[in-house]
Structure formats: structure tokens, C-alpha cells
Amino acid sequence: MLTIEDLQSITLERQGLRYDASFGSGKDAVYQSLEQLGYLQIDTLSVVERAHHHTLWTRIPDYETSYLDELLEERQIFEYWFHAASYLPMQDFRFALPQMLEVRDNDSHYYNADSKVMRYIIDTIRAEGPKRARDFETQAKKSGSWWNWKPAKIALERLFLQGDLMISRREGMQKTYDLPERVLPEAIDLTIPTPREFASYLVKTYLNAYGWTTLKQILHLKTGETIRNDVRDVLSDLLEEGIIESIHIKGYPPVFVRYDLLGATAGISTPEIRLLSPFDNAIIHRDRVKQFFDFDYRIECYTPKEKRLYGYFCLPILFGNTFIGRVDCKAHRKQKQFEIIHLHLENQLIEFESWAKPFAERIKQFVLFNGCTSLKVSQVSPSNKTTKLRKLLEGLF
């Protein structure tokens, strides 16, 4: 009988968090990790290194931020929407088509773009080649222009969401748009999946990424009886074929576990410290993490300052299978100083000596990854650990 600890270990192994370099090294490891994780959330917040880079750095010790841009230009990955703006493996492109069609056919739920501006943007890119958003911003500011920047920005986003434009390259957060026929590989499958095929894609994506899943996770942000029924049917077929097994643990929702992973539940002999992005694939399904890891995590950057419990941009701290706390931090890039604004230690059952030095080493690596050369520790809770940790951490540089 599987235990909660077994389920934790399975997920962390599939997520590439049990061992360093689980996916290998270099750019190949970036593609391997994206293929297994299913998607990689893109985020614009830069309090520390942006989420898509942070998530990969956590799994790939020699990760470089240029790798994603290169894979995008090589047409191995593409940008679209999973539950949020994401990078996805190009092989999964056809499963983005239903949402593109939904956007195209439904004006009431998406950007209400000016059709004249949309036609102008498409015609300009077709005639002149790939364009950045700023190219249209410049055009809108010309004397006598019949449109301004805001309608163009809305039109670009609408054209992207409905699949009439794709992002062909990036320079940081600056996107370049082009026509799909000039971006997609020649052999790409453009067959629109049936609802049942799409349900199968969702189920298998989660099973591949986590090793096991729940009905709630598969249906995250998905509505309607059709998708719910199709997902249930796919799970039923996989159970009948012996590919998955349904596990019931008292006090927890039913979980569906890949049969081939049932024996891969050995404990971690040397626990590793991981500093996770708030948008990391392993932490993004908050209910799952709360239920199965006993860690109640919410990002508070969207919460009014007076209502925050932990800080603006806290990173979960994972030690082995256990979340031992969270750290609110900020990279002051101009000063090249990394600040630990508030380190919250929450699991007092784990001995300080067992995690403190590995934590310090991981912090040092993260400071360097963020382009900083010094470290400041402002606050630690509980306060009785402040002196030891400040000495240990600030002594790294």
C-alpha cells in the first residue's frame, strides 16, 4: 500500500527535484525537462530571476537563460497558454488549436480588438516580415496615424491568442511576432484534436509530469460536462488497461498512479535543498501541495501589503520531501546585492544542523544566478535562529 511519503517521492522524482541534474545538462536538458513537465510558465515579475528561468535553474545546475530563446528560434518549443502563458513542446502544438478556435469564435470572453487594426498588423507582417510590438508602437506615434498604441497592443494579443500570429523569437521579455506558416515546422501535425483526444492529452501530461494525479488537478480551470466526462472515460480506460492504478488513502481524495512507478518509492538518502519559484510546476497546484505535502502556500505579491503574512515574493524551501519554510527575497541588481528580506522557518522538527549548510550553499548559488555578488540578511523567524543564520549566510561572500 502506498503512503503519502511514497506519493511525495514519486512526484519529486518526476519533477526533477530529487537529484541534481535529473534531466542532464545544457540545452538538451532544458528540452527534456520541458517535455516531461509538459509546460513552463512564463512570468514577467523580476524581483528575483523570472519564473521560467528560475524553474529550469532549479533542475539544471548549468542552466543559461539563453537556452529557452535558442529552443524557441529552433522551433523545438512554442509559446501559448496552458493554465497561464507558457512555453510548450512543439510536438504538442495541435492541442493548443481548440483554444485558438475558441478565441477566434468568441468575442465576448476575450480581447475586443479592432478588426481594422488586426488586418493592418497581419498585412504588415506578411509584407515586411516579423515585427516586435514596439514597431507598431512607433508606427502609431507617427503624425497622421489613424490609430494609437492601445488598440494595436490589444490586436496583437488577440491575434496571438487566436493563432493568427506566433512568437518567433524573444529578447528578454521583448517578443517578435510572425505568421504561423513561417514559424511552424513543415511536418507539424495540425489536426484539431477531438474532445476525447484533448482529455487524453491532459491526463497523460499530468501523469507524465507528476507520476500521479487527481481528478481536480486534471480539470484545473476546465469547465463543462464534456471535458469532465471525457477525462473520466480516459481514466477508466487507463485503469482497465493496467496503465494506472487508483489509490485510496483515508482522508485524501482518490489518486491515479502510473503502474510502472508503483515500485519507485525509495526514500531520499541525502535530502537536497530546493528554492522554488512561486510559479514552479511542483508548487503551482496549491490545493494539491496543501493536501499531500501539508504546505499552505500562496503568493502574496497581489495581496495588499498590510494583509501579507510572509512577504511580497516568498520562495518555498523544499528539503527532501518536506517544505521547511519560505524566504522573501529581492535581487538589487544595480547594487549587485541580494537581500533576504525575511526568512520564515516553519518546520521545527527537522534539526537545524541537517539543513542549514545545504541551505546556505543553495542560497549562494541562487545569489550568483541572480547576478549578485553580496548577500544581506534582514530578518529571520523564529528570531532565535537569526544570529547563526546571518553569520552562516553573510559569510558566504
Side-chain angles (χ1 to χ4, degrees):
M1 175 62 74
L2 286 183
T3 66
I4 293 300
E5 290 75 19
D6 292 331
L7 293 177
Q8 292 170 352
S9 293
I10 290 172
T11 279
L12 295 177
E13 179 136 15
R14 296 302 300 172
Q15 283 285 302
L17 295 173
R18 287 189 69 184
Y19 313 104
D20 283 336
S22 295
F23 297 116
S25 61
K27 188 167 64 175
D28 287 344
V30 175
Y31 183 78
Q32 292 297 324
S33 63
L34 191 57
E35 190 175 46
Q36 183 152 315
L37 297 176
Y39 74 95
L40 179 69
Q41 183 168 336
I42 303 169
D43 195 72
T44 58
L45 291 172
S46 58
V47 180
V48 296
E49 184 57 79
R50 288 186 172 91
H52 40 292
H53 296 310
H54 182 174
T55 298
L56 291 171
W57 172 85
T58 302
R59 294 159 172 82
I60 305 168
D62 66 345
Y63 175 72
E64 295 181 15
T65 57
S66 61
Y67 290 154
L68 276 174
D69 295 336
E70 292 172 16
L71 288 170
L72 186 67
E73 291 189 50
E74 292 166 5
R75 311 306 189 236
Q76 294 194 58
I77 63 176
F78 73 102
E79 289 190 37
Y80 196 63
W81 206 260
F82 194 72
H83 69 268
S86 302
Y87 290 106
L88 300 108
M90 185 63 80
Q91 66 188 24
D92 292 339
F93 181 79
R94 65 185 291 249
F95 296 104
L97 293 174
Q99 185 165 339
M100 293 177 182
L101 291 175
E102 183 184 348
V103 176
R104 184 177 291 118
D105 296 340
N106 196 333
D107 287 330
S108 62
H109 293 102
Y110 298 95
Y111 297 88
N112 187 18
D114 186 309
S115 60
K116 188 177 180 182
V117 176
M118 290 169 67
R119 283 195 300 273
Y120 172 79
I121 287 173
I122 287 288
D123 290 344
T124 300
I125 290 177
R126 180 173 287 112
E128 299 179 10
K131 295 288 184 182
R132 300 164 300 176
R134 67 169 61 170
D135 297 327
F136 293 103
E137 181 179 12
T138 301
Q139 186 69 23
K141 290 178 179 178
K142 287 184 178 180
S143 177
S145 176
W146 51 268
W147 53 283
N148 60 43
W149 170 227
K150 187 176 180 180
K153 188 175 182 180
I154 294 171
L156 274 170
E157 191 63 21
R158 175 70 186 244
L159 288 165
F160 167 70
L161 286 174
Q162 67 184 35
D164 291 323
L165 290 177
M166 291 185 68
I167 295 169
S168 60
R169 67 189 303 264
R170 266 185 183 263
E171 295 177 25
M173 297 305 290
Q174 182 69 233
K175 297 176 283 192
T176 297
Y177 296 88
D178 202 354
L179 303 177
E181 56 264 34
R182 299 201 292 233
V183 175
L184 292 170
E186 289 185 11
I188 194 73
D189 185 354
L190 297 177
T191 308
I192 298 171
T194 65
R196 179 63 179 270
E197 286 177 321
F198 184 75
S200 180
Y201 159 72
L202 284 180
V203 171
K204 292 177 180 178
T205 294
Y206 283 117
L207 287 171
N208 191 45
Y210 298 92
W212 56 270
T213 189
T214 65
L215 186 62
K216 183 175 183 179
Q217 183 177 21
I218 300 168
L219 294 173
H220 180 62
L221 298 180
K222 302 292 186 294
T223 59
E225 282 301 309
T226 299
I227 184 66
R228 177 174 292 274
N229 290 336
D230 283 337
V231 164
R232 289 185 186 277
D233 288 345
V234 170
L235 289 170
S236 179
D237 287 349
L238 293 176
L239 285 167
E240 188 173 337
E241 295 166 18
I243 295 173
I244 63 173
E245 188 169 313
S246 180
I247 303 296
H248 298 265
I249 300 175
K250 187 177 180 181
Y252 294 87
V255 299
F256 301 93
V257 186
R258 277 177 42 174
Y259 185 80
D260 62 321
L261 299 177
L262 289 176
T265 59
I268 300 175
S269 55
T270 305
E272 296 279 353
I273 284 281
R274 308 290 180 196
L275 300 175
L276 302 184
S277 165
F279 304 102
D280 192 290
N281 299 55
I283 197 80
I284 199 65
H285 293 276
R286 314 300 194 202
D287 290 343
R288 174 185 168 119
V289 173
K290 184 176 180 180
Q291 283 183 324
F292 293 96
F293 285 85
D294 193 27
F295 186 61
D296 191 2
Y297 179 75
R298 296 288 183 274
I299 187 170
E300 296 182 330
C301 58
Y302 309 113
T303 303
K305 186 175 182 179
E306 64 276 7
K307 294 184 178 180
R308 292 175 196 151
L309 298 177
Y310 298 103
Y312 182 83
F313 203 74
C314 273
L315 312 182
I317 305 169
L318 180 66
F319 180 54
N321 283 21
T322 305
F323 287 94
I324 62 171
R326 60 198 92 196
V327 55
D328 186 30
C329 46
K330 180 177 176 63
H332 301 282
R333 293 179 179 85
K334 288 185 178 180
Q335 297 80 21
K336 291 189 175 296
Q337 183 184 71
F338 192 91
E339 181 184 5
I340 291 180
I341 301 168
H342 198 162
L343 171 59
H344 303 265
L345 304 175
E346 298 167 45
N347 192 315
Q348 303 302 312
L349 298 178
I350 298 178
E351 292 183 1
F352 176 83
E353 288 72 19
S354 66
W355 62 263
K357 286 186 178 180
F359 174 73
E361 181 57 34
R362 193 66 73 184
I363 283 288
K364 180 178 181 179
Q365 294 167 4
F366 194 57
V367 170
L368 296 174
F369 178 62
N370 277 272
C372 296
T373 56
S374 65
L375 175 64
K376 174 185 177 183
V377 180
S378 296
Q379 187 176 356
V380 178
S381 294
S383 58
N384 63 351
K385 298 288 193 299
T386 301
T387 302
K388 284 185 177 181
L389 278 169
R390 182 173 284 136
K391 182 178 180 180
L392 182 63
L393 293 168
E394 292 184 348
L396 293 170
F397 295 91

